[in-house]
């Protein structure tokens, strides 16, 4: 199962997240929810919001983050960090 990264094309935080995950070699399923009603509904169902980037991996989710917030979430959840290889 791949982590899912919900993004919106043109979102600067999403571009930062994509670059960060590429630099870490993390293989992601990327879902661009801009103009995708089903993808947006899925994002809202799992995170109760519509902001991006949002990463979902099993029961680990970080919604509407910048890189510092994502790394803080990893520190708070070392099991998820280990599973992600980060």
């Amino acid at each position: 199962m791949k982590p899912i990264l919900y993004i919106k094309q043109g979102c600067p935080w999403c571009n930062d997240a994509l670059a960060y995950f590429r630099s870490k070699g993390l293989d992601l399923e990327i879902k661009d929810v801009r103009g995708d009603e089903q993808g947006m509904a899925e994002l809202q169902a799992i995170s109760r919001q519509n902001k991006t980037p949002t990463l979902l991996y099993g029961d680990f989710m970080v919604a509407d983050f910048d890189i510092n917030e994502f790394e803080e979430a990893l520190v708070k959840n070392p099991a998820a960090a280990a599973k992600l290889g980060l």
Side-chain angles (χ1 to χ4, degrees), residues 22-81:
R22 276 190 212 112
S23 76
K24 300 292 186 183
L26 187 60
D27 187 23
L28 298 166
E29 179 180 345
I30 298 169
K31 293 192 176 188
D32 186 346
V33 298
R34 190 179 302 272
D36 176 1
E37 289 182 29
Q38 182 179 353
M40 181 59 80
E42 185 178 308
L43 171 63
Q44 290 173 328
I46 61 146
S47 67
R48 301 186 194 278
Q49 52 87 50
N50 63 2
K51 296 185 172 120
T52 58
T54 294
L55 182 121
L56 176 66
Y57 186 59
D59 61 356
F60 178 69
M61 181 191 54
V62 185
D64 184 26
F65 64 87
D66 67 23
I67 300 308
N68 290 334
E69 291 167 329
F70 182 77
E71 288 183 334
E72 288 173 13
L74 289 177
V75 168
K76 292 177 183 175
N77 195 327

Side-chain angles (χ1 to χ4, degrees), residues 5-23 30 32 34 52-53 65-67:
L5 181 64
Y6 296 88
I7 65 165
K8 292 177 185 164
Q9 191 67 31
C11 161
W13 297 276
C14 297
N15 291 338
D16 289 347
L18 287 167
Y20 172 83
F21 292 125
R22 276 190 212 112
S23 76
I30 298 169
D32 186 346
R34 190 179 302 272
T52 58
F65 64 87
D66 67 23
I67 300 308

